[in-house]
Amino acid sequence: SMNILLELFVVTFKVLWAFVLAAAKWLVRPKEKSVAGQVCLITGAGSGLGRLFALEFARRRALLVLWDINTRSNEETAGMEAPPHSNLQVYTYTCDVGKRENVYLTAERVRKEVGEVSVLVNNAGVVSGHHLLECPDELIERTMMVNCHAHFWTTKAFLPKMLEMNHGHIVTVASSLGLFSTAGVEDYCASKFGAVGFHESLSHELKAAEKDGIKTTLVCPYLVDTGMFRGCR
């Protein structure tokens, strides 16, 4: 019973200490990470959040690698952040992240043409917009491939070098629907729950490997007004 009391004390102390640290960070803001000159890859950069991420990283002088399945909208994003005569470097690649081989081939091209990726933003996402019984099987598979499986392929492509250098950052853009669910978006919720689980497990793996130079960030936005959820109530 003495052991149980001791364990209870240790756990309580750790919980309270976590609150103290969180409060300290709230008061003394941590220094913002610099991404200037770092190779930053954003998937789904042709529209919505991906485009906004690209513009934000451009403002912070990152070297940008933009992936999207839609070549035209991807090029439009590149044009928005690198107007003529600006010395900002932006590389665009047409890639279907739902296809494993496509990811690995495009990743190889990036390594040859640009260099090693320091910041990987897994943002590409799709939503079928159908209730389960009305949703074609192909669309369900597509949702899982793009919103969940793609994170495995991109991470497998770029993490080895990050581990070697003990330097990098992996950002998972999931969704609030990856934390709690609602009716009528079964495939989307399942895929985002999968992305959250993948991210958290990966974070633990990096911590266990003592790779303190590789950071992870999980982003779970609410329904964002980028056209993806038009008609959602």
Side-chain angles (χ1 to χ4, degrees):
S1 68
M2 193 64 198
N3 274 358
I4 292 170
L5 279 174
L6 188 65
E7 248 175 65
L8 188 64
F9 174 77
V10 169
V11 168
T12 307
F13 176 77
K14 281 185 173 175
V15 168
L16 291 173
W17 185 241
F19 277 116
V20 170
L21 289 180
K25 278 184 185 168
W26 195 260
L27 296 168
V28 183
R29 304 304 282 175
K31 194 165 133 304
E32 196 172 81
K33 180 174 189 147
S34 169
V35 291
Q38 307 251 336
V39 177
C40 165
L41 189 152
I42 301 163
T43 68
S47 60
L49 274 183
R51 178 169 281 181
L52 296 174
F53 276 125
L55 293 170
E56 194 58 47
F57 276 105
R59 214 168 56 75
R60 291 158 197 267
R61 315 306 301 162
L63 196 156
L64 287 166
V65 177
L66 310 181
W67 283 16
D68 203 281
I69 194 169
N70 185 325
T71 309
R72 209 188 79 208
S73 58
N74 205 25
E75 296 292 348
E76 274 171 20
T77 300
M80 289 164 81
E81 61 215 14
H85 317 303
S86 80
N87 58 0
L88 195 68
Q89 285 181 283
V90 184
Y91 298 83
T92 55
Y93 294 87
T94 304
C95 180
D96 179 354
V97 294
K99 292 185 175 149
R100 185 175 76 231
E101 288 313 314
N102 204 329
V103 170
Y104 293 150
L105 285 171
T106 313
E108 199 48 53
R109 280 185 60 203
V110 169
R111 270 194 289 273
K112 284 202 182 93
E113 295 165 19
V114 187
E116 294 302 335
V117 170
S118 293
V119 182
L120 170 63
V121 183
N122 278 318
N123 162 78
V126 292
V127 63
S128 70
H130 296 283
H131 291 267
L132 177 64
L133 298 181
E134 281 101 59
C135 190
D137 293 350
E138 298 72 40
L139 280 187
I140 292 172
E141 287 180 337
R142 181 92 190 126
T143 303
M144 295 305 293
M145 290 290 187
V146 175
N147 295 359
C148 182
H149 297 175
H151 295 238
F152 288 81
W153 318 143
T154 56
T155 304
K156 284 187 85 170
F158 297 112
L159 183 60
K161 198 66 183 179
M162 290 183 186
L163 287 170
E164 200 184 301
M165 316 278 288
N166 191 22
H167 172 76
H169 203 128
I170 294 172
V171 181
T172 302
V173 182
S175 168
S176 53
L177 293 176
L179 301 170
F180 55 84
S181 51
T182 185
V185 275
E186 289 86 353
D187 57 335
Y188 188 80
C189 287
S191 68
K192 291 298 187 177
F193 265 77
V196 170
F198 167 76
H199 179 95
E200 294 193 340
S201 180
L202 177 67
S203 302
H204 290 308
E205 191 175 318
L206 292 169
K207 199 171 182 181
E210 294 179 356
K211 294 291 181 183
D212 56 349
I214 305 173
K215 309 297 181 190
T216 59
T217 303
L218 174 64
V219 187
C220 290
Y222 190 59
L223 301 184
V224 186
D225 183 18
T226 56
M228 194 168 175
F229 294 99
R230 200 167 283 129
C232 268
R233 293 198 307 278

